Every structure is written in structure tokens, then in C-alpha cells.
Amino acid sequence: MPAQSPSPTAFGLAADAASQAPIGIFDSGLGGLSVLRAVRAQLPEEALLYVADSLYAPYGERDDDFITDRTLAIGEWLAARGAKALVVACNTATAQSIAYVREKLPIPLVGVEPGVKPAALQSKSRVAGVLATQATLRSARFQGLLERYAADCRFLCQPGHGLVQAVERCDVGSAELRTLLHGYLEPMLDAGADTLVLGCTHYPFLDAAIRDIVGQRLALIDTSVAIARQLERVLEQHGLRAAAPAAAPLPRFYSTDDGRHQQQLAATLLQIDAAVEQVLIPSRRTAAADSRAA
Ligand code: DGL
């Protein structure tokens, strides 16, 4: 569904300045880089600001209030830096907090959700696996998705404990990671699944390791291209598409940790060589820890 938030032009920015403003993209950590990759391919003329909240990742094992607190703080931080729209490139943050955060921010928001609908449309065996974080799987939003599409398709929902942590360490293929994946995927294959929903934006970086285990027996559903198209529609609706610059701008990367792994993953998997700036983004739930660190 298109975002319903007001556009920055409604808040007095000149239309030209607003459309040349950057898009903010945020994730608990490095997973949103899989969304950034799709956004760059779809909208190469847009300037992008990417925040990884790696100091507090993984969100999937946090409580709901913590996830909402961080999503709002980072959304406000990006809006204060002039972002004209925000992509919440995190299934967990979207599931727990997008409705609340959308009400609070003065810019349009685009969220992500596990591709349950495309899986239900394309599964021939009518059995599909879903790998997502525990927080996504327990959310009312995800349960609503299942209710809508699980009438004639069985979904095997598996929390991907340990997978986000692996990607955060830039581990996309170690023996330890493969053992974890094996444990999650083998029961799905045994139950006759022919489709696997990658319900966390970190997981597309594990596609080669997953393919090594499942071969062509599972179709992988990654929604990042659909998110980029949705973002394009939202920008168009709000008159916020940037004019093409002479050269495609490099994204600006920010991290709440030292950013070393972000720089490494962006360089190796996205071929983007850009520095990562470490930033402090205080929020109600992390204020005490941040003041100790300062
Ligand atoms: N990339 C996030 C998602 O899509 C990972 C959440 C986490 O940090 O556990 O859910």
C-alpha cells in the first residue's frame, strides 16, 4: 500500500529542493544494504543516506518497545538531515513499529514485509518456508499476513536465530553458518516446501549458502526489487523524484558502531567503496548506555 504520510512540500520546502533531497534508508544493521542495492538499481539518480544501527543489532531478539524506540529515533535523525522519504529496510522494525512511526514523521515511509503473498501465489506444492526473525514472526502484522494468504498454502515459519549475527560479522559462508542453515532448511524440504520466503533483509546475502544446501528445490522470495518499485511510486505520488545528476551519487553510510563491517560488506557484495561515519543516535531506551559511552 502507498504511504499516506504528508510530503515535505506540505511542510514548506520548495518543490525543487525537496525532490533533490536524499532518501533515508535504515536497518538494524547491514541487511538493509540488500534493499539499498535494489533502490540504486531502480533509482540511480537518487541520493541515499544509509543508517545501520549495528550497535543495537539484532533487533529480532529485542522487545517491541525497544524496536519502536530505535526506529523512531533513527527516522527522526534522518528527517533532521533532510531525508525526503524513509525506507524502513527491516522486516522486524516494519512489523513492530511502522504504523506508529509513520504518524510521527513528516515524510513518507516505505516499509518491508516478508513475501508471503508472492509465495502463496507461486508455490505449486502449496508448502512454503518462511525464514524471519522471532520478532517478525510473533508480530500481529505478520500473523495478519499469514491469515490472509495461508488458507490453501501451508507456511512453515522458522526463526533464523544466529543468521543476522553472522551477516553482521560479514560471515556469508562459514561452516558454522552452513550448519545453522542446514538445520533450518532441511525440515522444510522434508515437508515438501518448494518456496522459501527470505523474511529478513539480511538473508539475501546468504543466497549462495542457501543455494548450496537446497539447489533448485526452493524458489527464493526476496522482496527488495518490489520495495524499490514501491519507493518509486511513493516518490512520484509526492512529486519527489530527483532530476538526473551528471554522475550517480555515492550513498552516504552511517553506523552506530565503528562501521568496519559495513564498509567491508558494501565493498565486497555491493562494490561500493565509501567511508562509514560513526554516529550517536540517542533514544529513550538507549540514553543511559549512550551517556556511559560518550
Ligand atoms: N534486517 C532485519 C530484518 O529484516 C534484521 C532484524 C534484526 O536485527 O534482527 O528483520
Side-chain angles (χ1 to χ4, degrees), residues 166-207:
V167 175
E168 289 294 306
R169 303 190 287 274
C170 291
D171 172 5
V172 294
S174 69
E176 185 194 339
L177 169 71
R178 284 168 197 272
T179 305
L180 264 185
L181 282 171
H182 214 273
Y184 299 152
L185 300 173
E186 209 54 49
M188 295 179 185
L189 292 169
D190 290 346
D194 65 353
T195 306
L196 174 66
V197 176
L198 301 177
C200 167
T201 53
H202 282 70
Y203 302 166
F205 292 125
L206 304 177
D207 57 350

Side-chain angles (χ1 to χ4, degrees), residues 27-32 56-61 89-93 112 133 136 164 168 199-203:
D27 180 40
S28 62
L30 310 186
Y56 299 107
Y59 281 6
E61 284 149 45
C90 177
N91 289 268
T92 310
V112 301
T133 69
T136 296
V164 167
E168 289 294 306
C200 167
T201 53
H202 282 70
Y203 302 166

Side-chain angles (χ1 to χ4, degrees), residues 119-160:
L121 290 174
Q122 78 178 57
S123 168
K124 293 201 169 45
S125 69
R126 312 311 293 149
V127 183
V130 182
L131 257 187
T133 69
Q134 187 151 293
T136 296
L137 295 177
R138 73 161 180 260
S139 68
R141 204 177 156 98
F142 179 75
Q143 291 302 321
L145 253 187
L146 275 190
E147 267 165 40
R148 237 172 299 146
Y149 297 106
D152 71 335
C153 187
R154 188 153 67 97
F155 284 92
L156 309 170
C157 298
Q158 169 65 55

